[in-house]
Amino acid sequence: MENNQPSSFFIQTFGCQMNERDSETIAGMLAERGFTTAKTKKDADIVILNTCSVRENADKRFFGILGQLKKIKEERPSFVVAVCGCMMQQQHIIDTLKSKYPWVDLVFGTHNIHAFPQLIEGVLAERKKIVDVWEEAGAVVEGLPAKRLYPFKAFVNIMYGCNNFCTYCIVPYTRGRERSRRPEEIISEVEQLVAAGVKEVTLLGQNVNSYGVSSHGSDYCAPKENGMDFAGLIYALNEVDGLERIRFMTSHPKDLSDHLIQAFRDCDKLCKHIHLPVQSGSTNLLKKMNRNYTKEQYLHLIEKLRKAVPDIAITTDIIVGFPGETEEDFSETLDLVQTAQFDSAFTFLYSIRKGTPAANLTDQISESVKHERFNRLVELMNGITAQINKSYEKTVQKVLVEGTSKTDKTTYTGRTDSLKIVNFKGNSALIGEIVEVKITEGKTFSLTGEVIS
Ligand code: SAH
Ligand code: SF4
Ligand code: F3S
């Protein structure tokens, strides 16, 4: 960059792995053009906020940060504020930005990230404001650059969008319909990552089980016979030399195939962990949520998974206080949690999302009831997690070392095959390596251990 030209950027990412991956692409595009990363928002010439809309508190945090950025803009008019991500795919958010946050320079959405270089050029060159959000996703764009967060593990998109329209969820509106990448594009990306030192890939999709099934706007749809479905893709990736671990997120229970369960047995690189969001234990509520399975069907799936892969770790997502949730519905959830013995669960208070069917339901649950149920669920779940983690004591686990602990630079941290966090004493040479760790203590939120190799 020439003198006086903006040259540094700072990206803040909210929400899920999809957004984290998108931010890597945006960072890659800027790095390719000579921009460098700033340490803080204050030090940056351009700040990009990549937003999430899945629950109300994500929206609130975003508007709070925008408020802080106004001060920087007042002190330094050349400062550029760009916003993108899922919130931008909703008209009411764009309207709010226009009326209350006029210091935002660039607004773009989830479907036109590939156009970011031209958009930011326009803002910088002409000092004008740009709002460019596409309602519909176009074809999958391949070959975009990426500035990856880690050298040893990487997220790999295998599909975009969601067709499921769970009645509480905003994602199908912000991410559009399902589109799958071609298997050869995915395999070649993974091969390139491995050549660059990556040991672990996490395959990303809102519902990876329907990979290749839906052809909406996508140039890949698995042919009925011999086509590559999700499990087929895992078998293919298992053959990539030098790759050590394969993970995936997220799997919808209604589409989990026997072929995938078999892949857990056959593919040595596939980590023995599955995140299988259940949302509720009440068949009645599952129906209202449009999840397309019953409590019994879900528990049957867990049984099948555990029978095929006895040491598999199973984690889940649960929503408390969906409209109309009765005490009986909630006790079904507690019962399911007790029976399923999840390794851990992300628990969420139901949050009204404008534009979703559940937002119009009149039997919303009061905040106090939601919180009271939430606390009971968390207490039950933490007890189960602690007990399972305790059972890891004295075992030896393979751990991919990710870095040092935030609070103590002599303590290193990494993840087991089953995705559990392990803390241990180590040295910086271990970062990015898979080491054997003997577990000395299993706590509620992590394991502690000693490196033995
Ligand atoms: N595609 C993934 C999840 C995406 S959102 C899947 O289907 O599993 C991640 C989690 O956020 C969901 O599993 C759900 O538990 C939670 N969530 C989504 N919408 C929500 C809402 N309106 N209120 C509370 N939690 C919500
Ligand atoms: Fe949302 Fe349901 Fe799609 Fe997951 S499957 S992203 S919860 S609509
Ligand atoms: Fe949030 Fe969008 Fe992900 S709404 S959870 S960032 S897909």
Side-chain angles (χ1 to χ4, degrees), residues 14-20 50-55 58 85-87 90 110 170-171 174-175 206:
F14 303 84
C16 68
Q17 293 83 357
M18 291 283 166
N19 264 16
E20 281 183 39
N50 191 0
T51 64
C52 168
S53 208
V54 80
R55 282 170 294 274
C86 287
M87 284 178 74
Q90 299 163 86
T110 60
I170 197 72
V171 172
T174 64
R175 291 274 169 178
Q206 296 297 349

Side-chain angles (χ1 to χ4, degrees), residues 162 164-166 168-169 171-172 206 252 279 291:
C162 179
N164 293 313
F165 290 95
C166 303
Y168 50 80
C169 184
V171 172
Q206 296 297 349
H252 195 303
Q279 313 300 357
R291 291 290 290 179

Side-chain angles (χ1 to χ4, degrees), residues 342-382:
F342 295 115
D343 284 75
S344 64
F346 292 107
T347 44
F348 305 109
L349 293 164
Y350 169 72
S351 169
I352 298 181
R353 304 287 66 211
K354 201 172 172 170
T356 63
N360 301 327
L361 297 174
T362 49
D363 44 0
Q364 300 288 338
I365 306 298
S366 74
E367 288 302 309
S368 61
V369 170
K370 270 194 225 174
H371 279 94
E372 185 267 334
R373 287 183 186 159
F374 184 85
N375 292 341
R376 274 151 70 197
L377 174 62
V378 169
E379 199 180 322
L380 172 65
M381 197 53 249
N382 286 352

Side-chain angles (χ1 to χ4, degrees), residues 264-439:
F264 275 110
R265 295 176 67 105
D266 295 341
C267 302
D268 58 321
K269 294 175 184 172
L270 183 58
C271 289
K272 292 191 174 58
H273 164 248
I274 187 164
H275 186 63
L276 196 62
V278 65
Q279 313 300 357
S280 168
S282 154
T283 295
N284 170 39
L285 278 196
L286 288 169
K287 196 159 190 216
K288 289 193 190 166
M289 290 174 166
N290 192 30
R291 291 290 290 179
N292 283 299
Y293 53 85
T294 64
K295 178 189 187 188
E296 289 69 32
Q297 283 166 333
Y298 184 89
L299 286 172
H300 181 59
L301 263 184
I302 300 265
E303 239 174 69
K304 278 210 291 192
L305 278 162
R306 289 234 165 91
K307 199 166 161 212
V309 194
D311 53 346
I312 195 166
I314 304 177
T315 57
T316 199
D317 291 348
I318 300 171
I319 298 177
V320 175
F322 182 83
E325 183 183 74
T326 61
E327 184 55 33
E328 288 69 46
D329 291 321
F330 181 65
S331 59
E332 294 277 2
T333 298
L334 295 178
D335 179 66
L336 177 131
V337 165
Q338 186 65 45
T339 313
Q341 292 284 305
F342 295 115
D343 284 75
S344 64
F346 292 107
T347 44
F348 305 109
L349 293 164
Y350 169 72
S351 169
I352 298 181
R353 304 287 66 211
K354 201 172 172 170
T356 63
N360 301 327
L361 297 174
T362 49
D363 44 0
Q364 300 288 338
I365 306 298
S366 74
E367 288 302 309
S368 61
V369 170
K370 270 194 225 174
H371 279 94
E372 185 267 334
R373 287 183 186 159
F374 184 85
N375 292 341
R376 274 151 70 197
L377 174 62
V378 169
E379 199 180 322
L380 172 65
M381 197 53 249
N382 286 352
I384 296 170
T385 303
Q387 210 176 357
I388 295 177
N389 286 354
K390 195 132 193 74
S391 75
Y392 274 65
E393 290 179 0
K394 300 199 175 69
T395 65
V396 173
Q397 300 290 322
K398 285 205 164 94
V399 173
L400 174 56
V401 185
E402 300 192 348
T404 57
S405 139
K406 279 198 187 100
T407 46
D408 169 11
K409 296 292 169 224
T410 66
T411 296
Y412 284 72
T413 180
R415 299 238 181 208
T416 64
D417 189 283
S418 55
L419 203 68
K420 291 190 190 294
I421 296 171
V422 188
N423 296 311
F424 48 89
K425 295 288 171 200
N427 59 67
S428 60
L430 298 180
I431 295 176
E433 299 298 321
I434 295 179
V435 296
E436 293 199 320
V437 177
K438 182 156 187 195
I439 306 304

Side-chain angles (χ1 to χ4, degrees), residues 143-154:
L144 298 177
K147 189 171 188 296
R148 304 270 181 174
L149 228 46
Y150 297 93
F152 50 85
K153 63 169 189 175

